[in-house]
């Protein structure tokens, strides 16, 4: 069986759930096929498995094609750290943190208490103004779209989010299946913002815009002091890649036309 | 959504990125499943600039997102290779940076 790398290693053997960073490409042909549980990825004649050894199956054909493309675009070495869709699928299949749907939802909504776009500075004045100009509209959009009060704060304690607001988001997120929720929680963790993530999920803003808004302070400093390519550009590309992967993952897992409902454990 | 870019530009960008992403020298990128899927999806939904239906908007956004993914992964890979992929210098190279040479010790280190 072809798994992406070592499975759980255990005591003294290193991290329990992490494949090696790189490995030689060991397959010629990548293809997808449809099995009982969904779409599978074939590396030559071997079926791809998750780090925990489960058969790798995804509910959406488009997602399977995109995962297959990640594997097919590896050249001499397989760079696992660039294969974000594969990673997301592995997480959905293995659920290594063993969280149930409600735990995922609560983790997501908890981010609202320290949401980047609600957490404001008072100085420098130029940055404070930039935050107002760039972040106020997206907070206003979320308040209107979800009919909630959110606001923003310059206090180090962060904004005071009413319980009813949290409840609204909890019940909205509950309408997503487990796979999509893994994706949503992932995007929130990358952007450090529930509001920006909902903006993406609802297709109100693009990935590039969401990442820019998430990194607003960095961008402000870069404009003042210059961009250091090996750090700033590097981080920017990585955040864009992960955010784009997470967003695409959520959308492909939520499409009713391509999803086999029985496969997605709720 | 004005910020998305025209469907045609996104399609062109996607096909270009897929050409870069083609890991197999022996297979034309037009035969990649992703290429065929993207082209078929654009054809089926005939994504135009007019705001017509929800499925078109979804496809438009998905296509723009996938393009962002492919492009960022490629750019990240290039930056990684350029700045972070080369490992450490050998002791000889380090010495050479400041104009020194390591001493020759015929019997090895004492």
């Amino acid at each position: 069986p072809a798994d992406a790398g070592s499975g759980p290693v255990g005591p003294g053997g290193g991290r329990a759930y992490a494949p090696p960073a790189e490995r030689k490409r060991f397959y010629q042909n990548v293809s997808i096929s449809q099995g009982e549980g969904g779409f599978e990825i074939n590396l030559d004649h071997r079926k791809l498995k998750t780090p925990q050894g489960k058969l790798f199956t995804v509910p959406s054909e488009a997602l399977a094609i995109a995962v297959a493309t990640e594997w097919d675009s590896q050249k001499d070495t397989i760079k696992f750290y660039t294969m974000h869709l594969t990673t997301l699928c592995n997480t959905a299949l293995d659920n290594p943190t063993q969280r149930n749907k409600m735990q995922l939802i609560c983790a997501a909504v908890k981010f609202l208490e320290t949401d980047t776009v609600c957490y404001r500075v008072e100085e420098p004045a130029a940055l404070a103004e930039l935050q107002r100009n760039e972040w106020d509209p997206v907070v206003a959009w979320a308040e209107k779209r979800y009919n909630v009060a959110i606001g923003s704060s310059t206090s180090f304690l962060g904004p005071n989010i009413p319980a009813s607001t949290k409840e609204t988001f909890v019940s909205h997120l509950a309408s997503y299946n487990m796979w999509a929720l893994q994706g949503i929680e992932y995007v929130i963790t990358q952007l450090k913002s529930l509001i920006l993530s909902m903006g993406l999920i609802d297709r109100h803003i693009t990935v590039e815009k969401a990442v820019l808004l998430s990194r607003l302070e960095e961008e402000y400093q870069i404009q003042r002091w210059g961009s250091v390519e090996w750090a700033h550009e590097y981080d920017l590309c990585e955040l864009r890649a992960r955010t784009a992967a997470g967003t695409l993952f959520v959308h492909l897992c939520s499409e009713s036309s391509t999803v086999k409902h029985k496969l997605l454990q709720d | 959504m004005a910020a998305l870019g025209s469907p045609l530009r996104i399609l062109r960008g996607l096909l270009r990125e897929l050409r870069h992403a083609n890991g197999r020298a022996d297979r034309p990128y037009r035969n990649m499943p992703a290429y065929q899927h993207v082209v078929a999806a654009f054809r089926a939904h005939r994504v135009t600039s007019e705001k017509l239906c929800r499925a078109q908007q979804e496809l438009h956004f998905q296509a723009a997102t996938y393009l962002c993914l492919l492009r960022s992964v490629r750019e990240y890979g290039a930056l990684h290779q350029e700045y972070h992929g080369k490992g450490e210098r050998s002791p000889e190279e380090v010495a050479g940076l400041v104009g020194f040479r390591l001493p020759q010790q015929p019997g090895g280190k004492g």
Side-chain angles (χ1 to χ4, degrees):
Chain A
D3 59 331
S6 50
V9 179
R15 291 178 293 170
Y17 191 80
E22 287 192 18
R23 190 187 153 168
K24 270 186 133 58
R25 177 168 172 155
F26 56 87
Y27 48 89
Q28 255 268 72
N29 193 44
V30 183
S31 62
I32 67 172
S33 54
Q34 192 165 3
E36 271 184 23
F39 296 90
E40 300 161 2
I41 312 290
N42 306 300
L43 306 175
D44 291 329
H45 55 276
R46 290 167 287 221
K47 291 202 179 292
L48 179 61
K49 298 247 166 55
T50 69
Q52 285 181 5
K54 298 198 180 96
L55 182 65
F56 188 101
T57 54
V58 299
S60 148
E61 186 178 12
L63 180 56
I65 292 174
V67 169
T69 305
E70 282 186 339
W71 285 89
D72 217 356
S73 56
Q74 304 307 313
K75 299 196 160 96
D76 306 308
T77 56
I78 306 173
K79 296 173 165 54
F80 294 111
Y81 52 85
T82 64
M83 299 163 70
H84 304 297
L85 291 173
T86 300
T87 304
L88 280 159
C89 293
N90 281 332
T91 304
L93 286 163
D94 285 345
N95 194 10
T97 58
Q98 296 188 309
R99 287 182 290 182
N100 63 29
K101 190 167 169 178
M102 197 31 93
Q103 287 169 316
L104 268 184
I105 292 173
C106 289
V109 175
K110 189 147 175 62
F111 248 98
L112 198 49
E113 295 164 17
T114 52
D115 203 302
T116 297
V117 302
C118 299
Y119 226 116
R120 307 295 175 90
V121 299
E122 281 173 309
E123 47 177 45
L127 178 56
E129 191 189 342
L130 187 64
Q131 290 182 341
R132 278 192 297 277
N133 292 340
E134 297 297 323
W135 286 349
D136 282 354
V138 72
V139 174
W141 164 82
E143 286 178 329
K144 184 172 173 203
R145 158 88 176 79
Y146 290 97
N147 196 24
V148 291
I150 302 173
S152 63
S153 170
T154 56
S155 151
F156 75 88
L157 292 171
N160 189 19
I161 310 288
S164 56
T165 299
K166 293 186 198 174
E167 279 154 24
T168 302
F169 281 112
V170 167
S171 99
H172 177 73
L173 289 178
S175 68
Y176 287 91
N177 61 56
M178 193 61 178
W179 278 60
L181 271 174
Q182 295 275 14
I184 293 172
E185 200 256 350
Y186 177 81
V187 173
I188 294 174
T189 312
Q190 296 305 314
L191 294 176
K192 312 289 189 276
S193 168
L194 171 68
I195 293 176
L196 291 177
S197 305
M198 296 322 296
L200 273 173
I201 306 300
D202 292 345
R203 296 190 301 273
H204 174 69
I205 52 176
T206 61
V207 170
E208 288 88 344
K209 178 83 176 182
V211 166
L212 172 68
L213 291 177
S214 173
R215 286 169 45 95
L216 195 66
E217 181 164 358
E218 276 109 314
E219 292 300 320
Y220 169 77
Q221 301 297 357
I222 287 167
Q223 296 231 344
R224 285 204 66 198
W225 302 106
S227 176
V228 178
E229 199 179 35
W230 56 260
H232 293 135
E233 286 302 311
Y234 187 70
D235 289 347
L236 175 64
C237 287
E238 184 178 34
L239 187 58
R240 274 192 187 150
R242 287 163 171 249
T243 304
T247 305
L248 188 62
F249 183 84
V250 172
H251 286 150
L252 292 177
C253 293
S254 319
E255 278 179 341
S256 48
S257 56
T258 55
V259 159
K260 292 179 158 61
H261 287 283
K262 65 179 163 81
L263 300 170
L264 299 163
Q265 301 111 32
D266 278 357
Chain B
M1 232 182 81
L4 266 185
S6 82
L8 184 58
R9 185 174 281 168
I10 294 173
L11 176 59
R12 278 209 203 108
L14 271 171
L15 301 187
R16 202 178 308 131
E17 289 298 332
L18 285 173
R19 183 156 42 98
H20 285 299
N22 188 10
R24 288 182 53 180
D26 62 329
R27 178 212 37 206
Y29 78 109
R30 281 187 193 79
N31 294 348
M32 290 171 81
Y35 181 101
Q36 292 169 346
H37 182 91
V38 163
V39 167
F42 269 76
R43 254 189 217 135
H45 290 263
R46 288 210 199 281
V47 182
T48 65
S49 292
E50 301 145 44
K51 288 180 187 182
L52 283 179
C53 77
R54 189 190 168 86
Q56 280 184 353
Q57 284 173 15
E58 285 179 4
L59 176 63
H60 192 188
F61 190 89
Q62 262 175 41
T65 304
Y66 191 42
L67 175 57
C68 181
L69 172 59
L70 290 175
R71 193 179 271 159
S72 328
V73 165
R74 180 173 55 80
E75 289 172 352
Y76 176 83
L79 284 169
H80 186 89
Q81 203 42 43
E82 173 71 26
Y83 293 111
H84 302 277
K86 293 183 178 146
E88 275 190 6
R89 295 183 179 88
S90 70
E92 287 78 15
E93 288 176 306
V94 173
L97 279 179
V98 290
F100 293 145
R101 281 179 308 170
L102 290 181
Q104 313 294 328
Q105 294 184 318
K109 287 191 190 164

